Amino acid sequence: MMKKIKFIFTIITLIALSFQGCKKADDVIPDPYADAKSPLGVAISQTDVPVPAVGIVGTSVVIKASGFDKYKDQLTFMFNGEKAEVVSVTATEITVKVPESGSTGVTSIAIGDQLFIGPTFTVRGLIQIDPTFKATAGTNGYVSQVYEMPDGRNIVVGNFTNFDNKGGVVPINRIARTSTDGEYDRTFRTGKGANGSLFRVLEIGGRFIIAGSFSGFNQRTENISNITSLFTTGAIDTVKIQTKRKPTVTDTVTQKWFPRFNGGTNGYINRLYAHQGKILATGNFRFYVKRTYDKFNYDLSRDTVILDSTDIRQVLRFNLDGSLDKTFRFNTTTNKGKESGNGNIDSYMHTDAEKLEKLVVFGSFNTFDGQPANRIVRLNPDGNIDPSFTPGSGADNTISSCTYNATTKKYIITGIFSKYNGKPAVGIAVLNDNGTLDETFASGSFEGGFPGFAKQLNNGLIVTSGNFIKYNNVTRNGFMVLTSTGTLAKGYNSTGPFNGGLSDVIETKSADGKKALLLIGEFYRFDNLPLYHIIRVTIE
């Protein structure tokens, strides 16, 4: 019997995944039994719309289906893989009730080990697509950050070349400015934009600082190393410099334009923060780099741009002009930065007053600055390890995300770990603000994968995404909302298949004043609809 159930679940999973790749919401799913003559004499149409086609938990739904009356005591009816109560079965239709665990997706009927796929049904819950959000076409690449400006407008950065179909003729390369409601702002003059991914943007010192994995911006196609500064108009901030020339060169060109921000890294920058009036960056780099324009190269062969490097790993601080701040995590005697982590890192910096400018570093390392630190550590504002953060033995495997809610004073971590400080914590955990495990939260079981991102809302609910298919034996195709104790939040989990992952969840409001969430990341489907990388949902 268990083998039959697993077989049926596998088929439903494959169907759900095929739906996630569809381009149209009304595509018909191939019938896995189409090539074989049915021995049961039953039929169910995928195109006959259920009555009603949309409903809440407990709604009675009529599905057109023939021949199932002979098997009414043997069949199982499911909404997106979740078993429903069968009210009645006749020769031409089946009446069922939407189960509490039901969510938007395909309906199906199982008899023994045979599965019959029916039409799609939309389960309405507390989370709905916001019709007032204007960027309905989303982007054609992932969105890594939405930065809210003081005037209410947003700067959106990522790896897209089109925003809401406004970049069809002239590409919108990795940066855009929008209204609060997602309307594209054409007055932001970024030209050709960045030639590689942007991960972060920060407004400081009257400029925008952008960082990521890129080497050119608009007309400045070189002499950038993953970070540069822009005017608030969107134009790159440049300066005219006289470079050294080969003595035999006699042309009249004496000066060239270069990016004013003279500093960078040899690897990508994934986070950027304002820190004590300066710019703190973290990422996958080993060296700080800067350029010298006023010295000859060794053979006097060309215009001279000399690239100098300084050993400093993963965490560094720039002065506003791009120079390296050697007062932060730097040994002036050895002319090197501190060791940082012995594996990949990510970070979160506190902006709440109580822990202002403390930096949580997490990832796949097990030492930090030469001290044992299993995948998570916190630094004081001076860059040294914070002894008041006590994770014990930490996570037993990689932490992929760490977020913090200043209202609840809790961290949420996700990853492929199964224990935290030696205690069970599968894929997701809640930490107290001193780094200890909050044991009032108990993670459930995951099938199909692990969560990649989670964030706690001010009301205590936890929005989670990943590549999982089930949570605690309930179908949740990559997206779910948990309570503060780790159970599925009632009314919030009726959305259908989600394909991809989130990079942030931002609490906001819709244009008509409803509570809303701005969801960004790299995703292609939400609630079984083709939606791309940035959406806003209301909480009804």
Side-chain angles (χ1 to χ4, degrees):
M1 183 64 182
M2 287 300 297
K3 289 183 177 179
K4 289 182 179 180
I5 293 173
K6 288 184 178 179
F7 171 75
I8 290 170
F9 174 68
T10 300
I11 294 296
I12 293 172
T13 299
L14 291 173
I15 290 166
L17 291 174
S18 71
F19 243 90
Q20 293 175 21
C22 293
K23 296 298 182 184
K24 298 179 180 178
D26 57 354
D27 283 349
V28 176
I29 305 168
D31 182 355
Y33 298 98
D35 295 332
K37 183 177 179 180
S38 171
L40 300 179
V42 298
I44 182 171
S45 172
Q46 296 176 27
T47 57
D48 286 336
V49 178
V51 181
V54 179
I56 63 174
V57 168
T59 299
S60 291
V61 182
V62 178
I63 306 290
K64 294 293 184 182
S66 61
F68 286 96
D69 55 320
K70 298 186 293 291
Y71 305 96
K72 61 182 179 181
D73 295 327
Q74 305 172 41
L75 64 81
T76 299
F77 193 98
M78 291 169 284
F79 286 84
N80 198 22
E82 292 300 305
K83 185 178 179 180
E85 176 190 348
V86 178
V87 177
S88 64
V89 183
T90 71
T92 58
E93 61 187 31
I94 299 176
T95 302
V96 292
K97 285 188 177 181
V98 179
E100 186 171 335
S101 59
S103 56
T104 297
V106 297
T107 58
S108 58
I109 301 172
I111 301 175
D113 59 0
Q114 294 196 56
L115 187 69
F116 303 88
I117 306 304
T120 61
F121 183 85
T122 300
V123 181
R124 289 189 64 87
L126 296 175
I127 294 179
Q128 301 290 325
I129 302 297
D130 180 6
T132 70
F133 190 63
K134 296 181 179 180
T136 55
T139 67
N140 65 341
Y142 69 77
V143 174
S144 55
Q145 184 190 10
V146 173
Y147 177 81
E148 186 176 351
M149 298 170 60
D151 63 6
R153 291 180 294 179
N154 292 328
I155 302 292
V156 183
V157 297
N159 194 34
F160 50 86
T161 58
N162 200 344
F163 184 93
D164 198 29
N165 283 338
K166 301 300 191 299
V169 176
V170 178
I172 301 169
N173 287 325
R174 287 105 188 173
I175 184 168
R177 188 167 64 190
T178 75
S179 71
T180 301
D181 296 317
E183 185 174 10
Y184 179 62
D185 180 0
R186 294 185 182 277
T187 66
F188 195 53
R189 303 295 185 180
T190 56
K192 296 178 182 178
N195 65 357
S197 299
L198 295 181
F199 297 141
R200 283 293 178 271
V201 59
L202 170 69
E203 192 171 6
I204 188 171
R207 299 286 190 272
F208 289 122
I209 307 297
I210 58 173
S213 179
F214 67 106
S215 60
F217 191 90
N218 197 14
Q219 76 273 31
R220 303 274 76 83
T221 58
E222 55 186 0
N223 299 313
I224 294 175
S225 296
N226 305 307
I227 184 170
T228 197
S229 63
L230 309 180
F231 291 110
T232 55
T233 60
I236 188 170
D237 185 7
T238 57
V239 61
K240 188 179 286 188
I241 297 175
Q242 170 69 62
T243 60
K244 289 295 183 180
R245 308 295 304 278
K246 185 177 180 180
T248 57
V249 173
T250 58
D251 64 59
T252 59
V253 178
T254 59
Q255 293 181 316
K256 288 187 176 183
W257 292 95
F258 295 92
R260 185 183 296 274
F261 192 90
N262 186 9
T265 57
N266 72 317
Y268 68 77
I269 296 171
N270 61 3
R271 306 286 175 178
L272 205 62
Y273 310 103
H275 191 261
Q276 299 174 1
K278 301 178 182 182
I279 302 162
L280 192 151
T282 69
N284 185 33
F285 50 82
R286 178 66 185 269
F287 296 98
Y288 163 84
V289 297
K290 75 167 189 176
R291 290 165 173 81
T292 301
Y293 303 104
D294 58 355
K295 294 181 180 179
F296 286 115
N297 64 2
Y298 74 97
D299 61 358
L300 308 179
S301 62
R302 58 181 175 81
D303 291 3
T304 301
V305 177
I306 300 172
L307 191 67
D308 295 319
S309 63
T310 303
D311 191 335
I312 183 166
R313 299 186 68 233
Q314 299 177 330
V315 183
L316 67 80
R317 195 164 70 184
F318 294 96
N319 295 308
L320 295 187
D321 62 358
S323 59
L324 178 63
D325 177 11
K326 293 187 177 182
T327 68
F328 184 77
R329 292 185 55 77
F330 197 82
N331 187 325
T332 54
T333 301
T334 62
N335 201 37
K336 289 184 177 182
K338 291 191 174 183
E339 294 179 52
S340 294
N342 65 343
N344 291 334
I345 72 155
D346 200 345
S347 65
Y348 168 85
M349 195 186 78
H350 282 275
T351 56
D352 53 298
E354 187 177 344
K355 290 179 283 295
L356 185 64
E357 296 184 334
K358 289 192 175 188
L359 186 76
V360 179
V361 182
F362 58 94
S364 60
F365 54 88
N366 54 36
T367 67
F368 195 88
D369 287 350
Q371 299 183 35
N374 284 327
R375 289 94 189 178
I376 190 166
V377 68
R378 190 167 72 191
L379 306 182
N380 281 317
D382 63 4
N384 294 314
I385 292 176
D386 178 4
S388 70
F389 188 78
T390 55
S393 59
D396 64 349
N397 212 325
T398 299
I399 297 175
S400 59
S401 77
C402 176
T403 58
Y404 181 78
N405 185 289
T407 300
T408 65
K409 297 185 178 181
K410 302 288 185 180
Y411 297 99
I412 311 294
I413 60 172
T414 65
I416 58 174
F417 51 83
S418 60
K419 290 184 179 181
Y420 186 88
N421 195 23
K423 298 175 182 178
V426 181
I428 182 170
V430 177
L431 309 183
N432 298 310
D433 61 0
N434 64 356
T436 58
L437 184 67
D438 179 356
E439 297 186 59
T440 65
F441 178 92
S443 59
S445 60
F446 288 93
E447 293 182 33
F450 288 90
F453 177 87
K455 188 172 183 178
Q456 188 170 42
L457 308 180
N458 291 337
N459 63 7
L461 296 179
I462 301 168
V463 179
T464 309
S465 75
N467 58 1
F468 51 87
I469 297 170
K470 284 200 170 194
Y471 178 76
N472 266 358
N473 296 316
V474 176
T475 301
R476 294 309 308 137
N477 300 120
F479 179 88
M480 63 183 178
V481 180
L482 302 178
T483 67
S484 59
T485 61
T487 60
L488 288 167
K490 188 175 181 179
Y492 289 87
N493 287 287
S494 62
T495 56
F498 173 84
N499 181 250
L502 296 176
S503 60
D504 203 1
V505 176
I506 302 164
E507 294 191 66
T508 182
K509 287 189 176 182
S510 64
D512 52 2
K514 294 178 180 177
K515 290 182 180 180
L517 302 175
L518 185 66
L519 308 180
I520 64 172
E522 186 171 17
F523 55 88
Y524 315 93
R525 184 167 288 268
F526 181 86
D527 198 17
N528 208 33
L529 297 172
L531 296 167
Y532 301 96
H533 313 299
I534 180 170
I535 61 173
R536 193 166 67 193
V537 299
T538 58
I539 301 176
E540 301 291 334

